[in-house]
Amino acid sequence: MREHQETATATALAAGTYSGYSLHAHRPDQGINLILSQPGISSSRVTRLSPTAVWALAEPGTELPPRERPLQVLLDDNGRTIGPLRGEIFWSDPRHQNAPFGIQFVDVTLEQGRQILSALDVASREGRALPAVSPRPIEEALVDPERIRSILKAVCVMKHQGLLRQLGRTMRVSLEYFDVEGSQLHWRLEEPGAQWGPAPHDIEVVGYNSAYRLRVPARAVRGERLVTPIPRQLWRVRHRSQRRVPAPPGLQAHFHHPLWRELGARACDVLDVSFTGLSLSGAPDELVFPGLILRPMEVRDARGESLWLRGEVRYVGETNADGRRMLGVQVTPLSAEDETRWVRLVSHCLCPNTRGGEAWLEPLWELLADSGYFQLTGLPAERVEAERALFLDTSRRAAQAPQLFCQTVWPSERGVEGTLSSVRAYRHGWLIHQLARRPGKPPGHVPSGQILRDLHVRTLEHAQSDADFRWLMAYAGEHHPLFERLHLTFARAHEASGDAAVMPVRMATLRSDTPSDVDAPGIECGPADAEERVDVALELARIRPAAYVDALDLTPERLELRGTAEAWRAAGLERERQVLVARHEGQVVAAALVELAQEGATLSGLLDTVRLFPLAPGGEDTFPTLLDEARAWYAARERATFTLVVEREEDEVLLEADSPRQCLWLLSARLLPEFLEYVSEATVGRLPPTPPDA
């Protein structure tokens, strides 16, 4: 019995929670039935099936055996019998008649597995079977004329691929010219000798991570060019939130089948990759199915270097004309070292013009100096050289912790042309910062906007690879043209939904060794106790937007950044936050959130911050005293300065008159795919010139 249980456990580990295919028979004679021979013969309709388990709906009067009793079953596929199969019931609900029940198969033979998967292949081709987890594509109708023009301009400038679909044929097309004044699109047919055929035409073009479908009437045909009006509507379709791109040549995945080791070592070419998945070119006899766990799976490049992943098959395509079939696999690195290698590999595939900053630190520092970044951040000249050593040391360590940091550079013959960084500052929030661009034109022909676009795409897609990612955040000057055009315009359009927020703030650098010397009789300041921390968090949830509270870890269980601080410490880096409170006659009247990060993690002190909150009438009167308590907190940690973040106009008396006005920008991870589409459109250069024959 123990051996039987161990075998059942091993079988269960070979498949995910939602394994196999859901079955949807249109007629009774099209379904697959489960025949139980114990304690009496009965038949039940199968609702989900894989070589590891079966789910079925019990017929009226069916008596199921106890869960601990092994049993034998048959599968009846319209008169074709598979089995007998051994298994045990792992789920049933005796409280409800005709409730579904599940049976875990044990010791399914290779031939039985072939038979089950063959039956499922037929059912899938006939539309009677779907993967048990089959995410629906996101579809959206776009009708705003300006948005439609923006998308089509990006398609034209960036020369994205297009397809013309007509009954019985598909042809490649390109949007060669966008006539803005005439509101016309000039499409070129890329198939030699092909004809446009009768109108209307259904055309599909590819954007950053979406496909756009449009139906257009033909206005004129000029040789290989079709002239159409700008459509009034576009349909956007996105099948996944993360972009996939072709894999580098020679990349292969190697694994052993977890159910049938006699199949031997398997090797599949990797077709494309994303941070969370890849597609394989598999032989028809791979005998894989949705939910199958491939652990370990070795991914090996053309040089023989490898890394190890846990893979879960999510999609199995039909056999192609070349006898291969595409396999979609969701992947997770097996170790921190594997994660570092996987992130580097995928990042380079997604944005081949960019690199991780760790190999370019000296040129990167020169870029920050040449671009005027230090002047923008207000970093005193006498501190710049001291910060250099901290920056280089922290950057080298951060490069080994891709789960916490991303430092992107765009290199050229001149050194580094541009940079953008991000850091997982909070449990669910990534802070983007340190955007800089070298003055002048880079060598060679670099399309306008490409550097800015590539920096954003690589840095933001890196944050998107974090399973805990929920918020993107940034600080920037309130009237900075680039920030206004890219970030603020998009966020303000989505503020009403709660998926974005824009908060005006002012920031100032204060010294730890210059107390205010304000006398506050009757005020006691110090760390908050557990009950006071809960009260502070509840009040913050009342007075601040939900996006702000969640993104900055201001909930009771995350208020002191314990989980985030542990992740930083595991990488050998500092991260800390404490709640300080001011009490009057034992009642908390104000709070200060003080936090710090490893020196050099950000050059402008964006994570060495103090935020002040009044919690009772007159609480703001205690702010100078709370700031003195914060100064002592930073001094005890040998920090000479910290950043005061002021979020209310009435508290600006704490600042110097020339403290710059900025914005805290927050964006939900749900909007990131759309934001990256927007960045792609907003950073394209000029439209191509008018063709001579247009």
Side-chain angles (χ1 to χ4, degrees), residues 176-464:
E176 185 181 43
Y177 173 58
F178 186 157
D179 180 0
V180 177
E181 292 185 3
S183 295
Q184 293 180 335
L185 307 173
H186 293 234
W187 303 90
R188 175 172 289 280
L189 196 57
E190 302 293 346
E191 304 286 349
Q195 300 297 318
W196 283 101
H201 300 84
D202 290 317
I203 297 177
E204 183 178 290
V205 291
V206 177
Y208 154 78
N209 194 28
S210 297
Y212 297 97
R213 296 199 307 260
L214 57 152
R215 168 161 284 199
V216 291
R219 180 163 290 176
V221 176
R222 302 173 186 170
E224 295 181 343
R225 192 181 296 122
L226 174 74
V227 181
T228 71
I230 295 175
R232 296 181 179 179
Q233 176 175 284
L234 286 181
W235 277 97
R236 184 176 73 169
V237 182
R238 188 174 72 242
H239 290 274
R240 56 177 65 93
S241 61
Q242 296 197 21
R243 187 167 59 108
R244 283 198 181 184
V245 293
L251 195 68
Q252 285 192 324
H254 300 261
F255 58 90
H256 284 82
H257 201 291
L259 294 177
W260 304 297
R261 303 288 290 188
E262 59 265 39
L263 288 172
R266 315 299 293 178
C268 297
D269 291 333
V270 180
L271 301 175
D272 57 43
V273 295
S274 73
F275 281 116
T276 57
L278 48 78
S279 293
L280 306 177
S281 174
D285 62 347
E286 294 298 351
L287 297 186
V288 299
F289 52 90
L292 184 69
I293 305 298
L294 305 177
R295 178 191 173 101
M297 182 170 69
E298 181 188 14
V299 173
R300 191 184 306 161
D301 65 18
R303 300 187 304 273
E305 297 180 2
S306 62
L307 58 93
W308 298 87
L309 306 171
R310 174 196 183 274
E312 179 178 342
V313 178
R314 304 302 294 267
Y315 171 79
V316 179
E318 295 185 13
T319 302
N320 300 323
D322 62 359
R324 309 290 291 177
R325 63 197 314 184
M326 190 179 80
L327 313 175
V329 184
Q330 186 181 70
V331 300
T332 307
L334 288 181
S335 70
E337 183 179 356
D338 291 320
E339 181 177 23
T340 300
R341 293 177 179 176
W342 177 245
V343 167
R344 286 175 180 165
L345 169 67
V346 176
S347 295
H348 183 64
C349 293
L350 290 169
C351 293
N353 294 320
T354 63
R355 296 290 185 273
E358 65 274 10
W360 298 81
L361 291 180
E362 292 290 353
L364 174 54
W365 185 263
E366 293 175 7
L367 163 69
L368 295 172
D370 294 344
S371 66
Y373 178 82
F374 299 129
Q375 287 82 357
L376 287 175
T377 60
L379 195 65
E382 64 272 14
R383 280 189 51 201
V384 170
E385 190 56 33
E387 289 288 334
R388 178 178 175 278
L390 293 170
F391 170 78
L392 297 178
D393 177 64
T394 300
S395 295
R396 291 189 184 98
R397 286 193 274 171
Q400 304 306 313
Q403 71 278 14
L404 297 174
F405 296 90
C406 175
Q407 192 173 65
T408 302
V409 299
W410 208 101
S412 78
E413 297 171 9
R414 297 197 300 176
V416 173
E417 295 293 334
T419 184
L420 180 63
S421 296
S422 65
V423 52
R424 204 192 85 182
Y426 304 99
R427 174 68 178 274
H428 302 296
W430 281 75
L431 173 72
I432 56 174
H433 65 107
Q434 220 161 271
L435 174 64
R437 176 82 161 80
R438 183 177 294 279
K441 290 186 178 181
H445 176 67
V446 179
S448 175
Q450 180 175 339
I451 294 176
L452 181 63
R453 180 168 58 254
D454 288 348
L455 292 173
H456 273 80
V457 168
R458 176 162 182 160
T459 307
L460 303 193
E461 285 184 335
H462 184 102
Q464 195 180 27

Side-chain angles (χ1 to χ4, degrees), residues 566-646:
E566 288 171 5
W568 281 59
R569 282 196 294 271
L573 302 167
E574 285 185 282
R575 186 80 174 105
E576 185 180 358
R577 180 198 272 170
Q578 192 165 21
V579 183
L580 305 177
V581 294
R583 306 179 186 92
H584 177 64
E585 297 180 353
Q587 178 187 358
V588 173
V589 295
L593 264 63
V594 295
E595 62 183 79
L596 60 78
Q598 182 74 25
E599 290 185 283
T602 67
L603 291 173
S604 47
L606 296 178
L607 297 181
D608 300 327
T609 58
V610 174
R611 285 180 165 84
L612 300 165
F613 304 95
L615 304 177
E620 58 271 14
D621 295 338
T622 68
F623 283 176
T625 307
L626 272 175
L627 277 176
D628 285 345
E629 190 74 13
R631 288 183 173 94
W633 190 86
Y634 284 104
R637 289 154 179 79
E638 299 181 348
R639 298 299 178 91
T641 62
F642 60 91
T643 301
L644 174 62
V645 181
V646 170

